[in-house]
Amino acid sequence: MNAAVFTSAALSLPTSFCKTRSSKLSRKKGVKGEFRVFAVFREESGLVEKKSQWGPLFDVEDPRTKAPPYKGKFLDVNQALEVARFDIQYLDWRARQDLLTIMLLHDKVVDVLNPLAREYKSIGTVKRELAGLQEELAKAHQQVHISEARVSTALDKLAHMEELVNDRLLPSKVGTEADRPSSSTTASSVQLDREKTDREKTTLGAKTLDVSGPVKPYHPGLKNFWYPVAFTADLKSDTMVPIECFEEPWVIFRGEDGKPGCVQNTCAHRACPLHLGSVNEGRIQCPYHGWEYSTDGNCKKMPSTRLLKVKIKSLPCLEKEGMIWVWPGDDPPSPTLPSLQPPSGFVIHAEIVMELPVEHGLLLDNLLDLAHAPFTHTSTFAKGWSVPSLVKFLTPASGLQGYWDPYPIDMEFKPPCIVLSTIGISKPGKLEGKSTKQCATHLHQLHVCLPSSRNKTRLLYRMSLDFAPILKNVPFMQHLWRHFAEQVLNEDLRLVLGQQERMLNGANIWNLPVAYDKLGVRYRLWRSAIDRGDDKLPFSN
C-alpha cells in the first residue's frame, strides 16, 4: 500500500471551495467636479476594472476555470499535489480580491467624509452610509484573515504532501523484499496495491481520527490473537499467576506434565478466587472447600462429597521463548506464534510486569510515539536531548514498522498489542548517530500491553542489551532496572491518565494527527478495522 496516497485522504485536501457573499461596489458619483471611477468587483467574474497604480497587483486570472477534476475521488500522490497547488493559486487570487475590496471601501469612506459631499447630504444619511460601509469593511477584513488562514493551511498541506512523496521515494532500511516492488511486478499486483490503498483511505475517512468518549466493549475480533501474559521465569511448578484479560479473571499454573495451563479464576462451587489457594501435584486447589482443577478446567477432586462431573472454562495456553501465551478468542487458535526474541547478539537483562490504571490503546499510542521524549522524559533517558526542528517516522507503505529521524531508533508495532524498539546508544541516556547501524551499542525493548479491562493494562516489559553482559550478574540489578522503568513510565502515566480522563468526558485524543504520528495513526486504523469486524485487516502482509 502507498503511505502517501492513503495519508492524502487523511489530509482531506479541499476539492471544492466555500464561496463568500458576492460584493458589489458600484461607481460613486460625485456632485461637483469630475466623476470618480471605481472598479466593480464580482466574485463570479473577478476584477472587472481597476484604474490605479496598483492595477498589476490585482490583474490576476481567476484560477477556478482550471480546477483539477478530482472532486469526490481518491487521489494519488501527483493528483493530491496538483490539488494542493491549485488551492494555493485560488487562495492567492481570493486574497487579492479581498484586499481590493478593502481598498475600494476605503475610497468610499473617504468620499462619504469628503467636505464637498457632506454639503449635499443630511447628517442622518452620512451616518447610515458610514454604518453600512463600516459593516462591509469589517466583513472584508474578516475575509482577508480567513484567506490568510486558508493560504497557510494550504502551504502546510503542500509541504506535508512533498514530505510524503520524499518518504515514498526513500528506500526504507527496514522494508522486506516483499515490500519493495520488483521489475517483475504484474499489473494485477499493482491493482491489488491500489485497492488496498483505497481501503486505507476509506478507513480514515476524515482529516482526524475520532477516539473519544467511554471505552467501548472490546470487539470479539480483538480476542482472536495469541497474547503474551507472563514471563516463564515467573511461573514455577508450585506457583500461580492470576491475570485479567478482557475483563475476565484467569489464573495460570503448571500441570502435572509441567506445561502451563490457564483456567477461569473462579471455583465452580462457590465462586471463590482460585489463586488464593495452592498448586498440588499439577492441580490448583480452591482454598474454600478443596476442590481441585487440572489445566484443562476439569475438576479432579471434591473432598467430603461425591465427585461430580464439573468443569470450569479454560483457554489454550502455550509456552515459547520465555513467555506464556493464551488465546482468549472463540476462533480456533492460530497454529503459529510470533517470535519476540531480541535480535542476535542481545542478552536479556530485565523482565518486569506492571499493572497500570490506563486503557491499553492509550498506552500503545504513547509507546508508538517518540516525538514527545525531549518534552516528557527530561528527568530520565531523554535528559539533555535537543529538540529537532522536524521529527519523521519513515516506514514502508504497507508496514507497521520503520525508523525515526533524527533519532537512531527502529520501532515496530506487532499486532495485537506488542511494541518492539531498538535504540542506538553510546551510553544509557545518550544518543549518537543518525541510525541504529551507526551506533556501536544498542538497547532493545519489548512492551506488551495486555487489555486487562477497559481501564487497566497488564504491561510486560523486557529489556536487552548488546553490551556489558556482566551487568546481568550484578546483585540487585533487576531492582535497579525496575526502578528506572517505573521512573520512565511515571513520566508518561501522568500525561496518559490526564488524556484518559478527558477522553472519557468526550475529548478526542486523536484530534489533529501530524506527520510524526504516522505509526500511531496506522495502529488506530488497524484497531478501527478490528472494531468494525472487517474480514481483511490493513497492513497485514
Side-chain angles (χ1 to χ4, degrees):
M1 290 175 289
N2 191 312
V5 175
F6 101 84
T7 310
S8 69
L11 294 173
S12 293
L13 293 172
T15 55
S16 61
F17 306 95
C18 297
K19 292 188 176 182
T20 57
R21 179 181 61 84
S22 299
S23 300
K24 299 180 180 180
L25 299 178
S26 59
R27 290 190 295 176
K28 186 66 183 175
K29 181 179 179 182
V31 178
K32 292 184 178 181
E34 295 181 345
F35 287 87
R36 184 167 185 178
V37 178
F38 282 81
V40 178
F41 164 67
R42 301 177 188 273
E43 180 156 321
E44 292 79 5
S45 59
L47 183 60
V48 176
E49 182 183 4
K50 177 64 182 177
K51 293 183 178 180
S52 74
Q53 59 179 330
W54 301 105
L57 178 63
F58 303 106
D59 189 15
V60 178
E61 181 182 0
D62 186 345
R64 286 175 295 176
T65 58
K66 302 178 181 180
Y70 303 134
K71 182 175 181 181
K73 299 180 179 179
F74 291 124
L75 310 182
D76 61 23
V77 174
N78 294 326
Q79 291 171 340
L81 286 173
E82 183 180 355
V83 172
R85 292 192 182 98
F86 172 73
D87 285 353
I88 295 175
Q89 293 175 0
Y90 169 79
L91 294 172
D92 174 71
W93 174 82
R94 176 69 262 174
R96 292 171 189 261
Q97 307 308 306
D98 293 337
L99 182 60
L100 174 60
T101 302
I102 292 175
M103 293 177 62
L104 298 179
L105 288 170
H106 171 74
D107 289 344
K108 290 195 70 175
V109 171
V110 172
D111 180 66
V112 170
L113 296 177
N114 189 291
L116 295 176
R118 284 203 305 269
E119 295 178 9
Y120 299 94
K121 293 183 180 180
S122 66
I123 295 177
T125 302
V126 172
K127 286 182 177 180
R128 285 193 298 273
E129 290 189 2
L130 281 177
L133 289 172
Q134 286 174 345
E135 181 179 355
E136 289 192 51
L137 189 60
K139 290 180 179 179
H141 276 290
Q142 182 181 9
Q143 185 61 40
V144 167
H145 292 317
I146 293 174
S147 297
E148 290 175 349
R150 287 175 177 172
V151 170
S152 176
T153 302
L155 288 172
D156 289 343
K157 289 178 179 178
L158 182 61
H160 188 73
M161 291 303 303
E162 290 176 346
E163 178 190 340
L164 292 175
V165 171
N166 292 335
D167 287 355
R168 182 187 179 190
L169 297 177
L170 283 175
S172 173
K173 68 175 184 179
V174 296
T176 63
E177 292 299 325
D179 291 325
R180 302 189 186 100
S182 64
S183 58
S184 61
T185 300
T186 63
S188 61
S189 64
V190 172
Q191 180 64 26
L192 287 175
D193 287 341
R194 289 177 179 172
E195 291 174 358
K196 192 178 293 183
T197 299
D198 290 343
R199 286 196 298 271
E200 288 179 16
K201 293 166 71 175
T202 303
T203 301
L204 187 56
K207 185 169 62 177
T208 60
L209 297 166
D210 185 9
V211 183
S212 60
V215 181
K216 299 177 182 178
Y218 293 114
H219 190 278
L222 190 60
K223 299 181 181 181
N224 290 315
F225 291 91
W226 283 108
Y227 282 85
V229 295
F231 292 111
T232 293
D234 294 333
L235 190 64
K236 310 298 183 183
S237 60
D238 58 347
T239 61
M240 296 173 286
V241 176
I243 65 168
E244 282 186 85
C245 184
F246 292 104
E247 306 194 45
E248 291 188 76
W250 305 92
V251 60
I252 302 168
F253 64 102
R254 294 191 180 276
E256 293 178 319
D257 56 1
K259 295 181 179 179
C262 179
V263 300
Q264 192 172 21
N265 192 8
T266 305
C267 182
H269 179 210
R270 302 280 291 276
C272 180
L274 293 176
H275 77 275
L276 299 178
S278 59
V279 177
N280 295 326
E281 299 178 350
R283 298 186 300 273
I284 189 169
Q285 185 185 72
C286 177
Y288 208 170
H289 297 92
W291 291 23
E292 295 184 4
Y293 300 88
S294 57
T295 53
D296 60 3
N298 286 306
C299 185
K300 297 295 187 179
K301 191 174 181 180
M302 294 181 183
S304 308
T305 187
R306 180 170 59 89
L307 182 63
L308 302 175
K309 188 176 182 179
V310 174
K311 183 177 182 180
I312 58 177
K313 187 177 179 181
S314 63
L315 296 179
C317 185
L318 293 175
E319 184 173 14
K320 179 185 177 182
E321 297 177 346
M323 305 196 79
I324 310 296
W325 301 71
V326 301
W327 181 278
D330 295 328
D331 289 356
S334 170
T336 59
L337 277 74
S339 176
L340 301 183
Q341 282 286 83
S344 176
F346 283 79
V347 175
I348 297 173
H349 281 254
E351 292 180 336
I352 300 168
V353 179
M354 300 181 188
E355 300 288 344
L356 305 177
V358 63
E359 197 270 331
H360 91 288
L362 293 179
L363 189 59
L364 283 170
D365 288 340
N366 176 268
L367 293 173
L368 294 171
D369 170 29
L370 194 66
H372 74 280
F375 304 98
T376 303
H377 300 292
T378 54
S379 299
T380 53
F381 71 89
K383 185 177 183 179
W385 283 18
S386 60
V387 179
S389 58
L390 181 64
V391 176
K392 295 187 291 183
F393 185 79
L394 306 176
T395 177
S398 61
L400 290 169
Q401 75 284 337
Y403 60 98
W404 291 91
D405 180 11
Y407 303 122
I409 299 177
D410 299 340
M411 185 171 286
E412 177 182 4
F413 169 68
K414 191 179 289 289
C417 63
I418 300 163
V419 178
L420 300 169
S421 59
T422 301
I423 306 173
I425 56 177
S426 57
K427 60 182 181 180
K430 183 178 179 181
L431 296 175
E432 68 174 3
K434 294 184 178 180
S435 70
T436 53
K437 291 183 178 180
Q438 295 177 347
C439 301
T441 55
H442 303 84
L443 162 70
H444 181 77
Q445 297 184 110
L446 161 71
H447 291 87
V448 177
C449 301
L450 178 68
S452 299
S453 68
R454 281 181 279 178
N455 59 1
K456 189 167 66 174
T457 299
R458 179 178 174 86
L459 175 66
L460 277 63
Y461 173 74
R462 174 189 278 171
M463 186 195 72
S464 307
L465 303 174
D466 64 354
F467 64 96
I470 193 173
L471 291 177
K472 183 177 178 65
N473 301 317
V474 174
F476 307 110
M477 200 65 193
Q478 180 85 1
H479 299 285
L480 180 61
W481 290 130
R482 183 179 183 89
H483 173 71
F484 182 76
E486 288 177 344
Q487 277 189 311
V488 174
L489 275 173
N490 285 334
E491 289 177 327
D492 285 318
L493 275 179
R494 65 188 185 92
L495 307 179
V496 178
L497 286 173
Q499 280 184 300
Q500 181 169 261
E501 178 186 359
R502 282 153 179 76
M503 179 189 75
L504 296 177
N505 290 328
N508 184 6
I509 61 166
W510 274 102
N511 192 50
L512 190 62
V514 294
Y516 55 66
D517 292 322
K518 184 183 296 183
L519 189 55
V521 167
R522 291 191 177 187
Y523 158 67
R524 283 295 175 178
L525 293 175
W526 177 88
R527 177 71 178 274
S528 296
I530 287 282
D531 292 340
R532 290 193 307 269
D534 292 357
D535 293 331
K536 181 67 174 177
L537 299 179
F539 315 111
S540 57
N541 295 324

